[in-house]
Amino acid sequence: MCPEKADLFSTVSLSGSTITRRIEEMGDNLHQHLQNSSKKLSYFSLALDESNDVRDSAQLLICIRGMNDNFEVTEELAALQSIKGTTTGEDIYKRVCQTMNGLELDWAKLASVTIDDAPSMVGSKKGVLARINQEMDRHNHSHPIAIHCLIHQQALCSKSLKWDSVMKIVVSCVNFISAHALNHRQFQEFLSELNASYEDVLYYTEVRWLSRGGVLKRFYDLLQQITAFMLSKNKEVPELNDAEWKWHLAFLTDATEILNSFNVQLQGKGKLICDMQSHVKAFEVKLGLLIKQVKEENFCHLPTTQNLLAEKPSVAFPNKTCVDSLEKLQKEFQFRFKELRLHEQDIQLFRNPFSINIEIVDPIYQMELAELQNCDSLKDAFRSSSVTNFYASLPSETYPNLTNHALKLATIFGSTYVCEQTFSRMKHLKSPTKSRLTDAHLHHLLQLAVTNMEPDIDYLISQKQAHSSH
């Protein structure tokens, strides 16, 4: 009807209620897809994280990653659970149970649970992990592997490198320049006149810990200009001309850059626990190497410190202070990542079954490993494909235990990165201008925003009944 008006009809906006209804239907359709996919999973893992939205409502995100027998991965938002009252371990556990029941998940297939260090999560008696383990005991299932978010652990380790003597001065100077509009304009003009490498300083916020690296690097590069500007404003900061303080600033800049690079390696969706563990082990080796080199005042991996050394400062490098800081950081890493070492053998078996010593593994894998490690064609296949693709091609009838082990380990979330990323989307969706979104609508919108699945539009259309004219 009226084909010549087709373009005009396409510009007509749908009503708010129609859009709402369609979002609800697509959200329900995606939930049905996820429920159907979940029934086919051999194993699955959960990542849990809780945060407040713009109206201070507690929102619990539950993400699921599972594998079917063909090593096809399902990684989705399982639920957004709104908690109206307290957020104790018992409250969160009840929401986990609701999600498990809603998706018809089998507790026996739960391989791992990844959380942060909140007391409600890790409490020894009433924490979520403790309640889940009690549930598994009731059904005679083995406990799931507990993983404390590796990115969060890394951030806590980084906080041991406080260096308040440096950060207080840096933050104070940056705030003096940026917090007052006149100072800020004059400083930018000052940099422009000097043809400086940068046009401005950067803000630092403790919540976004990665910002410290950029702030320190920019501050060090503009140190001469900042010192001159502060003097022009009669703002006395004696540390800016203190030679030892400059050493501390240069060293902290380099150390923070190294920590930031490590943090970025741990980020990303779909990362396997074996790859994340490799990054952790590599960083610990790097840390040991840095300690040895700093003791010898070899700064080949610390470019800012190396540049300062080339300027031949009047004060010697504060060797003991810097080495002590690195050793403290090393001890913190050894403490924070000790639980990862408990599973090191299982992760190594998953990462490379050809390199592990048969004699140290569980006896159920030994005969299969003896067969596998002496098969040249499988060795070649392992070298030329990804870990999951290799296990997918492995004959399960010949290697049932190794395949089963791989299915479990491949589902593990090494961090709650997927939850943090989803929370970022949630804050865009439920912003101050959309704060009256209901919990159900927020869940539907969030699910549509982050899903890897496609709603079945053809099916949804087929369910609609056309209204005849009267």
Side-chain angles (χ1 to χ4, degrees), residues 11-44:
T11 63
V12 177
S13 299
L14 297 174
S15 68
S17 59
T18 300
I19 292 174
T20 299
R21 188 169 61 252
R22 290 187 176 184
I23 288 172
E24 290 171 346
E25 290 167 353
M26 287 191 290
D28 291 339
N29 184 253
L30 284 174
H31 184 271
Q32 186 63 50
H33 281 338
L34 181 57
Q35 189 179 63
N36 294 337
S37 297
S38 299
K39 292 175 183 177
K40 302 173 185 177
L41 298 179
S42 302
Y43 290 99
F44 67 92

Coordinates of all heavy atoms in Angstrom, one line a residue, residues 11-44:
T11 N 10.3 6.9 8.4 CA 10.8 8.0 9.3 C 9.8 8.1 10.5 O 10.2 8.9 11.4 CB 10.8 9.3 8.6 OG1 9.5 9.7 8.1 CG2 11.8 9.2 7.4
V12 N 8.7 7.4 10.5 CA 7.8 7.6 11.6 C 8.3 6.8 12.8 O 8.7 5.6 12.8 CB 6.4 7.0 11.2 CG1 5.4 7.1 12.4 CG2 5.8 7.8 10.1
S13 N 8.4 7.5 14.0 CA 9.0 6.9 15.2 C 7.9 6.0 15.8 O 6.7 6.2 15.8 CB 9.4 8.0 16.2 OG 10.3 8.8 15.7
L14 N 8.4 4.9 16.4 CA 7.6 4.0 17.1 C 7.2 4.6 18.5 O 8.0 5.4 19.0 CB 8.2 2.6 17.3 CG 8.6 1.8 16.1 CD1 9.4 0.6 16.5 CD2 7.3 1.4 15.4
S15 N 6.1 4.2 19.1 CA 5.8 4.8 20.4 C 6.7 4.2 21.4 O 7.3 3.1 21.2 CB 4.3 4.4 20.7 OG 4.2 3.0 20.9
G16 N 6.8 4.9 22.6 CA 7.6 4.4 23.7 C 7.2 3.0 24.2 O 8.0 2.2 24.4
S17 N 5.9 2.8 24.2 CA 5.4 1.5 24.7 C 5.7 0.4 23.8 O 6.0 -0.8 24.2 CB 3.9 1.6 25.0 OG 3.2 1.9 23.8
T18 N 5.7 0.7 22.4 CA 6.1 -0.4 21.5 C 7.5 -0.7 21.6 O 7.9 -1.9 21.6 CB 5.8 0.2 20.0 OG1 4.4 0.5 19.9 CG2 6.2 -0.9 19.0
I19 N 8.4 0.3 21.7 CA 9.9 0.0 21.9 C 10.1 -0.8 23.1 O 10.9 -1.8 23.1 CB 10.6 1.3 21.9 CG1 10.6 2.0 20.5 CG2 12.1 1.1 22.3 CD1 11.2 3.4 20.4
T20 N 9.4 -0.4 24.2 CA 9.6 -1.1 25.5 C 9.2 -2.6 25.3 O 9.9 -3.5 25.8 CB 8.7 -0.5 26.6 OG1 9.2 0.9 26.8 CG2 8.9 -1.2 27.9
R21 N 8.1 -2.8 24.7 CA 7.6 -4.2 24.5 C 8.5 -5.0 23.6 O 8.8 -6.2 23.9 CB 6.2 -4.1 23.8 CG 5.5 -5.5 23.8 CD 4.0 -5.3 23.4 NE 3.9 -4.7 22.1 CZ 3.4 -3.5 21.8 NH1 3.1 -2.7 22.9 NH2 3.3 -3.0 20.6
R22 N 9.1 -4.4 22.6 CA 10.0 -5.1 21.7 C 11.3 -5.5 22.5 O 11.9 -6.6 22.3 CB 10.3 -4.3 20.5 CG 9.1 -4.2 19.6 CD 9.4 -3.6 18.2 NE 8.2 -3.6 17.4 CZ 8.2 -3.2 16.1 NH1 9.3 -2.6 15.6 NH2 7.1 -3.2 15.4
I23 N 11.8 -4.6 23.3 CA 13.0 -4.8 24.1 C 12.7 -6.0 25.1 O 13.6 -6.9 25.2 CB 13.5 -3.6 24.8 CG1 14.0 -2.6 23.8 CG2 14.5 -3.9 25.9 CD1 14.4 -1.2 24.4
E24 N 11.6 -6.0 25.7 CA 11.2 -7.0 26.6 C 11.2 -8.4 25.9 O 11.7 -9.4 26.4 CB 9.8 -6.8 27.2 CG 9.8 -5.6 28.2 CD 8.4 -5.2 28.6 OE1 7.4 -5.7 28.0 OE2 8.3 -4.5 29.6
E25 N 10.6 -8.4 24.7 CA 10.4 -9.7 23.9 C 11.8 -10.2 23.5 O 12.1 -11.4 23.5 CB 9.5 -9.5 22.8 CG 8.0 -9.3 23.2 CD 7.2 -8.8 22.0 OE1 7.7 -8.4 21.0 OE2 5.9 -8.7 22.2
M26 N 12.6 -9.3 23.0 CA 14.0 -9.7 22.6 C 14.8 -10.2 23.8 O 15.6 -11.2 23.7 CB 14.7 -8.6 21.9 CG 14.2 -8.3 20.5 SD 15.2 -7.2 19.5 CE 15.0 -5.6 20.4
G27 N 14.7 -9.5 24.9 CA 15.4 -9.9 26.1 C 14.9 -11.3 26.6 O 15.8 -12.2 26.9
D28 N 13.6 -11.5 26.6 CA 13.1 -12.9 27.0 C 13.6 -13.9 26.0 O 13.9 -15.1 26.4 CB 11.6 -12.8 27.0 CG 11.0 -12.0 28.2 OD1 11.8 -11.8 29.1 OD2 9.9 -11.5 28.1
N29 N 13.6 -13.6 24.7 CA 14.1 -14.5 23.7 C 15.5 -14.9 23.9 O 15.9 -16.1 23.7 CB 13.9 -13.9 22.3 CG 14.2 -14.9 21.2 OD1 15.2 -14.7 20.5 ND2 13.4 -15.9 20.9
L30 N 16.4 -13.9 24.2 CA 17.8 -14.2 24.5 C 17.9 -15.1 25.7 O 18.8 -16.0 25.7 CB 18.6 -12.9 24.7 CG 18.9 -12.0 23.4 CD1 19.5 -10.7 23.8 CD2 19.8 -12.8 22.5
H31 N 17.1 -14.8 26.7 CA 17.2 -15.6 27.9 C 16.8 -17.1 27.6 O 17.4 -18.0 28.1 CB 16.2 -15.1 29.0 CG 16.3 -15.8 30.3 ND1 15.5 -16.9 30.6 CD2 17.1 -15.7 31.4 CE1 15.8 -17.4 31.8 NE2 16.8 -16.6 32.3
Q32 N 15.9 -17.3 26.7 CA 15.5 -18.6 26.3 C 16.6 -19.3 25.5 O 16.9 -20.5 25.7 CB 14.2 -18.6 25.4 CG 13.7 -19.9 25.0 CD 13.2 -20.7 26.2 OE1 12.5 -20.2 27.0 NE2 13.6 -22.0 26.3
H33 N 17.3 -18.5 24.7 CA 18.4 -19.1 23.9 C 19.5 -19.5 24.9 O 20.1 -20.6 24.7 CB 19.0 -18.0 23.0 CG 18.3 -17.8 21.7 ND1 17.4 -18.8 21.2 CD2 18.2 -16.8 20.8 CE1 16.9 -18.4 20.1 NE2 17.3 -17.1 19.8
L34 N 19.8 -18.7 25.9 CA 20.9 -19.0 26.9 C 20.5 -20.2 27.7 O 21.3 -21.1 28.0 CB 21.1 -17.8 27.8 CG 22.2 -17.9 28.9 CD1 23.5 -18.3 28.2 CD2 22.3 -16.7 29.7
Q35 N 19.2 -20.3 28.0 CA 18.7 -21.5 28.8 C 18.9 -22.8 27.9 O 19.4 -23.8 28.5 CB 17.2 -21.3 29.1 CG 16.7 -22.3 30.1 CD 15.2 -22.1 30.4 OE1 14.4 -22.1 29.5 NE2 14.9 -21.8 31.7
N36 N 18.6 -22.7 26.7 CA 18.8 -23.9 25.8 C 20.2 -24.2 25.6 O 20.6 -25.4 25.6 CB 18.1 -23.6 24.4 CG 16.6 -23.4 24.5 OD1 16.0 -23.9 25.4 ND2 16.1 -22.7 23.5
S37 N 21.1 -23.2 25.5 CA 22.5 -23.4 25.3 C 23.1 -24.0 26.6 O 24.0 -24.9 26.6 CB 23.3 -22.1 25.0 OG 22.9 -21.6 23.7
S38 N 22.6 -23.6 27.8 CA 23.2 -24.0 29.0 C 22.9 -25.5 29.3 O 23.7 -26.2 29.9 CB 22.5 -23.2 30.2 OG 22.8 -21.8 30.0
K39 N 21.8 -26.0 28.7 CA 21.5 -27.4 28.9 C 22.5 -28.3 28.2 O 22.7 -29.5 28.6 CB 20.1 -27.7 28.4 CG 19.0 -27.1 29.2 CD 17.6 -27.3 28.5 CE 16.5 -26.6 29.3 NZ 15.2 -26.7 28.6
K40 N 23.2 -27.8 27.2 CA 24.2 -28.6 26.4 C 25.6 -28.4 27.0 O 26.5 -29.1 26.4 CB 24.2 -28.1 25.0 CG 22.8 -28.2 24.3 CD 22.8 -27.6 22.9 CE 21.4 -27.6 22.3 NZ 21.4 -26.9 21.0
L41 N 25.8 -27.6 28.0 CA 27.2 -27.4 28.5 C 27.7 -28.6 29.3 O 27.0 -29.2 30.1 CB 27.2 -26.2 29.4 CG 26.8 -24.8 28.8 CD1 26.9 -23.7 29.8 CD2 27.7 -24.5 27.6
S42 N 28.9 -28.9 29.0 CA 29.6 -30.0 29.8 C 30.0 -29.5 31.2 O 29.9 -30.2 32.2 CB 30.8 -30.5 29.1 OG 30.4 -31.0 27.8
Y43 N 30.6 -28.3 31.2 CA 31.0 -27.6 32.4 C 30.7 -26.1 32.2 O 30.7 -25.6 31.1 CB 32.4 -27.8 32.8 CG 32.7 -29.2 33.2 CD1 33.3 -30.1 32.3 CD2 32.5 -29.6 34.5 CE1 33.5 -31.4 32.7 CE2 32.7 -30.9 34.9 CZ 33.2 -31.8 34.0 OH 33.5 -33.1 34.4
F44 N 30.6 -25.4 33.3 CA 30.5 -23.9 33.3 C 31.1 -23.3 34.5 O 31.3 -24.0 35.5 CB 29.0 -23.5 33.1 CG 28.2 -23.8 34.4 CD1 28.0 -22.8 35.4 CD2 27.5 -25.0 34.5 CE1 27.3 -23.1 36.5 CE2 26.8 -25.3 35.7 CZ 26.7 -24.3 36.7

